[in-house]
């Protein structure tokens, strides 16, 4: 005997809501079928089918004779999208350029001081810690995003930074950039901070876009250099193979 699917799905949603509200925290047990049916005003069959659905979702574990145990929340299995470092940088140019323009009108003195502190971290040679410098760079850009006071833009830029740090191919592309010296990076960040301090939206947008244009140019130079090195390696292998073949015929 089965019950209406809409009814047991609704019961499953109600039980899920109680779990989310921690009426039944992880590790605890749900009331027995009879008690839960009475509490929710449905039949025991409906409760049983709702529990089967919740077990399939990984929310509870049902064992004969032991009842239903609430499981801890499952970690997110989000799959990051496929994209190139160039595509990501193009998106960052659009979003972060406009974030800088908005921030120019809304940024606070405290946020401007924070940008100055982060630039100081980028220029501190005493640490010699590249990871700390990258953290300062990330925080610099996220501070500007937050200064825009636009929740949608903030969320978008935070996600773009996730792609920058969590997609291996993109992380490697950024880490392997050549031709962009620390002095150049510092000057670009200082230009952005100056435009924000002057409360000039157009200047802030231009400074941010120029920063990303330099990154794209550096990526292109790095890609070109790798292609040249790979072509040279293949040519050397071919030359060596033919020389060895010629010598064997002599």
């Amino acid at each position: 005997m089965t019950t209406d699917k809409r009814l047991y799905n609704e019961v499953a949603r109600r039980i899920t809501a109680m779990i989310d509200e921690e009426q039944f925290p992880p590790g605890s047990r749900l009331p027995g079928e009879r008690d839960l049916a009475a509490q929710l005003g449905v039949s025991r069959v409906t409760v049983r089918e709702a529990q089967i659905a919740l077990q399939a979702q990984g929310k509870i574990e049902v064992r004969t004779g032991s009842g239903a145990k609430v499981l801890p929340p499952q970690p997110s299995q989000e799959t990051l999208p496929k994209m190139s470092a160039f595509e990501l940088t193009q998106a960052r140019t659009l979003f972060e350029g406009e974030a800088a323009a908005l921030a120019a009108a809304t940024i606070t003195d405290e946020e401007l001081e924070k940008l100055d502190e982060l630039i100081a971290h980028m220029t501190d040679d005493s640490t010699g810690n590249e990871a700390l410098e990258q953290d300062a760079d990330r925080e610099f850009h996220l501070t500007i995003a937050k200064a825009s006071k636009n929740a949608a833009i903030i969320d978008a830029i935070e996600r773009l930074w996730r792609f920058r740090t969590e997609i291996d191919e993109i992380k490697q592309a950024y880490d392997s950039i050549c031709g962009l010296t620390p002095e150049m990076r510092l000057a670009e960040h200082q230009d952005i901070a100056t435009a924000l301090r002057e409360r000039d939206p157009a200047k802030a947008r231009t400074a941010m876009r120029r920063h990303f244009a330099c990154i794209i140019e550096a990526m292109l130079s790095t890609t070109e250099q790798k292609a040249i090195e790979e072509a040279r390696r293949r040519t050397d292998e071919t030359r060596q193979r033919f020389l060895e073949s010629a010598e064997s015929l002599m």
Side-chain angles (χ1 to χ4, degrees):
M1 176 180 181
T2 61
T3 190
D4 187 284
K5 288 185 177 181
R6 289 172 297 179
L7 182 56
Y8 83 71
N9 282 331
E10 174 59 27
V11 170
R13 284 193 290 270
R14 291 171 65 184
I15 295 173
T16 297
M18 289 188 284
I19 292 173
D20 292 341
E21 293 167 1
E22 296 192 345
Q23 294 182 38
F24 306 120
S28 66
R29 298 192 181 280
L30 296 179
E33 285 182 4
R34 186 188 302 277
D35 293 337
L36 202 52
Q39 181 178 342
L40 298 175
V42 296
S43 70
R44 292 178 64 181
V45 172
T46 301
V47 168
R48 187 176 305 120
E49 292 190 358
Q51 289 183 345
I52 292 172
L54 291 173
Q55 180 167 243
Q57 297 171 23
K59 294 184 181 295
I60 64 173
E61 179 183 35
V62 180
R63 290 187 177 181
T64 303
S66 302
K69 179 181 178 181
V70 179
L71 298 176
Q74 298 298 307
S76 174
Q77 298 297 321
E78 179 184 5
T79 300
L80 297 177
K82 297 284 187 181
M83 67 180 74
S84 70
F86 290 104
E87 290 172 317
L88 175 64
T89 308
Q90 184 179 50
R92 290 183 64 193
T93 302
L94 295 173
F95 279 94
E96 297 201 40
E98 294 311 304
L102 285 175
T106 57
I107 195 166
T108 65
D109 290 340
E110 291 77 11
E111 287 167 330
L112 286 168
E113 290 177 5
K114 184 175 182 180
L115 294 181
D116 290 340
E117 292 173 1
L118 291 167
I119 290 174
H121 280 302
M122 296 179 202
T123 60
D124 185 2
D125 296 330
S126 63
T127 62
N129 191 323
E130 186 175 347
L132 289 178
E133 293 175 7
Q134 290 180 355
D135 286 343
D137 180 39
R138 175 180 179 277
E139 191 62 27
F140 179 91
H141 286 270
L142 292 183
T143 297
I144 295 172
K146 292 171 184 175
S148 74
K149 310 301 188 288
N150 184 304
I153 288 179
I154 294 168
D155 180 73
I157 292 175
E158 287 177 341
R159 285 183 60 79
L160 291 175
W161 268 93
R162 276 196 61 204
F163 303 155
R164 155 73 174 86
T165 57
E166 296 182 22
I167 298 177
D168 289 339
E169 294 81 358
I170 292 177
K171 185 177 185 304
Q172 291 170 10
Y174 270 85
D175 291 347
S176 63
I177 287 177
C178 61
L180 194 58
T181 67
E183 291 76 20
M184 293 169 61
R185 294 191 187 203
L186 173 61
E188 292 164 14
H189 286 86
Q190 287 175 328
D191 287 346
I192 295 167
T194 297
L196 291 170
R197 192 173 294 280
E198 293 175 0
R199 315 286 179 175
D200 187 328
K203 189 174 179 180
R205 180 189 293 112
T206 298
M208 184 66 79
R209 288 182 173 179
R210 186 183 302 117
H211 170 53
F212 285 114
C214 290
I215 290 176
I216 289 176
E217 181 61 35
M219 283 183 178
L220 288 170
S221 296
T222 301
T223 301
E224 182 180 34
Q225 182 62 36
K226 287 182 177 179
I228 292 172
E229 291 174 356
E230 178 62 17
R232 182 179 295 119
R233 183 188 65 80
R234 291 180 179 178
T235 299
D236 289 343
E237 289 180 351
T238 301
R239 179 185 296 111
Q240 184 64 30
R241 186 170 65 252
F242 278 106
L243 288 174
E244 290 176 353
S245 176
E247 288 177 358
S248 67
L249 296 175
M250 293 175 63

